[in-house]
Amino acid sequence: MSLANIQKGLAILVGAFVFYTAASGPFEGLIQRALFLALVSSLGFALYPLGAGSRWRPIGIAIDLVLCVLVLIACGYVVWHYDDIMTSLPWATTIDKALTVGLVLAVLELGRRTVGLIFPVLVLLGLSYALFGNLLPGALRHRGFDTAFVTETIFLGDLGIWGMLTGVAATVIAAFVLFGALLLHTGGGQAFMDLAMRLGGRQPGGAAKIATIASGLFGMISGSAVANVATTGNFTIPMMIRLGYPRPFAAAVEAVASTGGQIAPPIMGAAAFVMAEILGLPYTTIILGAIIPAVLFYASVFVTVHFVALRRGLAVVPEDELPAWATIVSPRRVAPILCALGGLGIGIWLGRSIATAAFYGVIGLLIAFVATEAGRLSPRDMIGKIINGLEDAGKGMVIIGVLLAGAQVLVSMINLTGIGVTLSSLIVSMAGDSVPLVAFIVGFVCLIMGMGLPTTAAYVLVAAVLAPAMTAVGVDPLAAHLFVFYFATISVITPPVCVAVFVGAGIAKTNWLPAAGHAVRLGAVTYLVPFLLLLFPGMLLQGGPLAIAEAILAGAVLVLAVPTLLTGSPLVGNRLIDTVLLIAVIILAVWPHPITPVIAFAVYFGTRKLGQNHREVVA
């Protein structure tokens, strides 16, 4: 059997496992997680073979087989001894220690192959600190833990590798990955792209706006900024370049728009589900709290693109390249999307688990797909599309499953040693209980800690280590977690390790450094939005209608003023006066008083109108 067939078979098996457990309900906690990790790890070794195409591939095959067998034995051991582990708190034996080492090494090696070296190194540092932190001086020293205790924590309980993050990956996140993959393979992907082209194509900067809309729609489903750039960027970046857009700018637009998909409900790079579990809040509370920041993000990108397009005279997309509205709104295009979202909504309304609600969405999607394609596609073709969706879902779960299992090991070591509390105390003592200063320090550290990491892994890390510093000075827990999440997320467009920009620049065949400069400018408002969460409770839809209106107005002023300042778009027409006015408007917008956003709004539009009238008179 060829490697490609093995990959396909395992991917379909993973997708089928998720479909079955979403429909019938998951197995017991540790059993569900162990089976899931066994399946995605086996698939991972098939998808990312060691030494592929090299002379020493036979050695790579041997290593892959050994690691895969270790994972299967370790996961099988947990399934077999589930009752003992959950009821008798077993002592770690030599076999337990060996299986723990093999399982952790296999997971970290898969993490290295899928996302690079940074993540496994962080996990190894966490393990090393747990084992040898008693040798350190000062505040970082802890009482010390032997290998038996660390093994019991990681392997023989539900706090280590079988903990909450792995559980969320094996149930809720996996179900939504399946939901998204089937939606894209049954026509949703083309529908998103067509809608984006129609909505943005004929406006100034149309191609960049198409990229923004399409990447946002894809990003809500895919949950991966880098994967989103690689998917939609292969269409949008060449289109922008063909229409005369500078290559670095084209790469930046795609990178920033794809990153926005990570902060946009309903999936938020899978962080919405993880955040709900960590905070013990309903999933709906998380996504409602993230709506206004996500709207502000995409509005700011749109405004920035619009101003740049007007200044540079960027071309619109020719009418003959745009799909017709009749095609976009045809039942074949919209019915699967509407039925999928309808099934999801019904599941949530009925009070079912989020994974089961995703299953309802899948069923609605499949019914609509079959009904609208009957007579157009043969049963064989329809089944083929569904199987392709299962296959892609299985492949998409590998990175998520491996990363969250590894992240769970790191989080368990952080909790075991208390390093998160220690670092939070140090930050609070440095900042003197000042919320703005704590927020500034935490935001800066989040940017550094998130560099090179996928969204969900970055969030888990900063939530464990830095969010407690925010709550310690009185910040609302949801605001604190969204604050660290946003800064960890935008690290993918922040130099020097801006992986989303790297991918976009590679597609555009340009230097990444100027692309990163454009990306920071396009995403500038996103660096300010987290601070709005601390200043305006209404940003989280809390505090009543007036508080929400105040937050929206403050955000709207920033969405207009910051791009105006960074793109050099004129107010009164004098660059120095415009700069002073815009800085004043931005300060007024974020000043926590009900009247200041109103004043900022009036100053911005009043001076802009005066400047426009003056330019018309002069002309």
Side-chain angles (χ1 to χ4, degrees):
M1 182 181 293
S2 68
L3 180 60
N5 287 335
I6 293 174
Q7 293 171 347
K8 186 179 183 70
L10 286 172
I12 293 172
L13 180 61
V14 173
F17 171 79
V18 171
F19 184 83
Y20 172 76
T21 54
S24 63
F27 297 103
E28 296 291 343
L30 262 63
I31 295 176
Q32 174 79 12
R33 298 165 193 183
L35 290 174
F36 178 77
L37 187 57
L39 287 170
V40 297
S41 298
S42 301
L43 177 57
F45 286 115
L47 289 175
Y48 304 95
L50 187 62
S54 67
R55 292 182 303 172
W56 52 281
R57 174 57 185 149
I59 299 175
I61 292 175
I63 294 174
D64 284 351
L65 287 175
V66 169
L67 291 175
C68 188
V69 169
L70 283 172
V71 170
L72 294 175
I73 292 174
C75 293
Y77 181 91
V78 169
V79 172
W80 186 259
H81 294 279
Y82 169 76
D83 289 332
D84 291 338
I85 291 172
M86 296 305 297
T87 58
S88 64
L89 300 176
W91 296 91
T93 64
T94 303
I95 293 176
D96 295 327
K97 294 177 183 178
L99 290 176
T100 302
V101 170
L103 180 61
V104 171
L105 284 178
V107 168
L108 295 186
E109 170 59 13
L110 280 175
R112 183 195 67 79
R113 297 183 197 182
T114 53
V115 298
L117 196 58
I118 295 177
F119 180 68
V121 167
L122 287 174
V123 178
L124 288 174
L125 286 174
L127 287 167
S128 300
Y129 179 67
L131 293 170
F132 307 111
N134 59 311
L135 303 177
L136 295 175
L140 294 179
R141 181 176 180 176
H142 60 73
R143 65 183 180 87
F145 305 96
D146 60 19
T147 55
F149 193 80
V150 171
T151 297
E152 291 158 14
T153 302
I154 293 175
F155 189 62
L156 298 176
D158 58 358
L159 298 178
I161 199 167
W162 314 117
M164 177 268 296
L165 296 178
T166 309
V168 174
T171 51
V172 177
I173 296 176
F176 267 86
V177 170
L178 177 65
F179 174 86
L182 288 173
L183 181 61
L184 295 179
H185 275 270
T186 53
Q190 189 59 50
F192 288 160
M193 186 60 71
D194 288 348
L195 181 62
M197 292 186 69
R198 193 72 252 183
L199 290 175
R202 297 298 295 165
Q203 301 178 25
K209 291 176 179 176
I210 288 173
T212 303
I213 298 171
S215 297
L217 293 171
F218 273 93
M220 291 181 198
I221 302 298
S222 72
S224 170
V226 176
N228 204 7
V229 174
T231 302
T232 58
N234 277 303
F235 171 79
T236 58
I237 291 175
M239 178 175 62
M240 284 187 273
I241 293 171
R242 178 169 53 83
L243 292 173
Y245 290 56
R247 290 177 182 268
F249 182 74
V253 168
E254 180 58 43
V256 172
S258 293
T259 301
Q262 306 302 280
I263 67 173
I267 296 179
M268 297 165 59
F273 310 118
V274 177
M275 198 179 297
E277 291 291 331
I278 292 175
L279 292 173
L281 293 174
Y283 164 72
T284 50
T285 301
I286 305 297
I287 60 174
L288 287 174
I291 286 176
I292 295 178
V295 171
L296 293 178
F297 171 87
Y298 277 106
S300 70
V301 176
F302 250 74
V303 171
T304 306
V305 166
H306 188 79
F307 287 162
V308 171
L310 291 177
R311 291 202 66 188
R312 297 193 177 189
L314 298 178
V316 299
V317 179
E319 181 68 35
D320 59 2
E321 294 187 18
L322 299 178
W325 275 113
T327 301
I328 296 172
V329 299
S330 65
R332 187 170 63 86
R333 290 290 178 85
V334 301
I337 296 176
L338 294 179
C339 290
L341 296 177
L344 181 64
I346 289 172
I348 294 174
W349 180 68
L350 291 175
R352 303 293 189 263
S353 70
I354 298 300
T356 303
F359 169 74
Y360 286 2
V362 169
I363 293 301
L365 162 70
L366 294 178
I367 291 173
F369 171 65
V370 172
T372 55
E373 296 291 353
R376 181 177 177 274
L377 293 177
S378 67
R380 180 188 181 92
D381 289 337
M382 286 191 283
I383 292 172
K385 286 183 176 291
I386 294 170
I387 289 177
N388 288 338
L390 283 174
E391 181 182 353
D392 269 12
K395 292 177 178 178
M397 291 172 206
V398 171
I399 295 179
I400 291 174
V402 168
L403 286 183
L404 286 184
Q408 182 63 62
V409 173
L410 178 59
V411 169
S412 68
M413 295 300 99
I414 290 172
N415 293 334
L416 179 66
T417 59
I419 184 64
V421 176
T422 301
L423 291 178
S424 295
S425 299
L426 288 174
I427 291 173
V428 172
S429 64
M430 287 171 55
D433 292 336
S434 167
V435 173
L437 191 52
V438 168
F440 180 80
I441 295 171
V442 167
F444 180 73
V445 176
C446 284
L447 285 174
I448 296 173
M449 294 180 69
M451 287 181 177
L453 293 179
T455 301
T456 309
Y459 163 65
V460 168
L461 179 59
V462 298
V465 176
L466 298 172
M470 305 284 291
T471 56
V473 292
V475 175
D476 176 82
L478 177 56
H481 278 255
L482 285 173
F483 183 94
V484 299
F485 168 62
Y486 289 147
F487 272 108
T489 298
I490 57 179
S491 64
V492 301
I493 60 169
T494 305
V497 188
C498 39
V499 289
V501 175
F502 294 162
V503 176
I507 296 172
K509 296 181 174 60
T510 187
N511 191 311
W512 69 268
L513 194 55
H518 286 295
V520 170
R521 182 176 63 176
L522 284 164
V525 170
T526 319
Y527 294 88
L528 301 177
V529 165
F531 292 96
L532 294 182
L533 295 171
L534 310 182
L535 296 171
F536 300 100
M539 288 291 291
L540 300 173
L541 298 181
Q542 297 174 358
L546 289 179
I548 295 171
E550 180 186 358
I552 292 173
L553 185 59
V557 172
L558 285 183
V559 162
L560 294 169
V562 173
T564 302
L565 177 63
L566 295 180
T567 61
S569 184
L571 282 183
V572 298
N574 180 284
R575 183 60 176 160
L576 178 60
I577 296 175
D578 285 351
T579 300
V580 173
L581 283 172
L582 287 168
I583 291 174
V585 165
I586 292 169
I587 293 173
L588 285 170
V590 300
W591 196 269
H593 190 281
I595 196 63
T596 50
V598 178
I599 296 173
F601 193 81
V603 170
Y604 178 85
F605 279 100
T607 54
R608 194 173 185 88
K609 183 64 175 176
L610 286 173
Q612 183 179 352
N613 291 340
H614 174 72
R615 288 188 293 275
E616 289 175 354
V617 169
V618 171

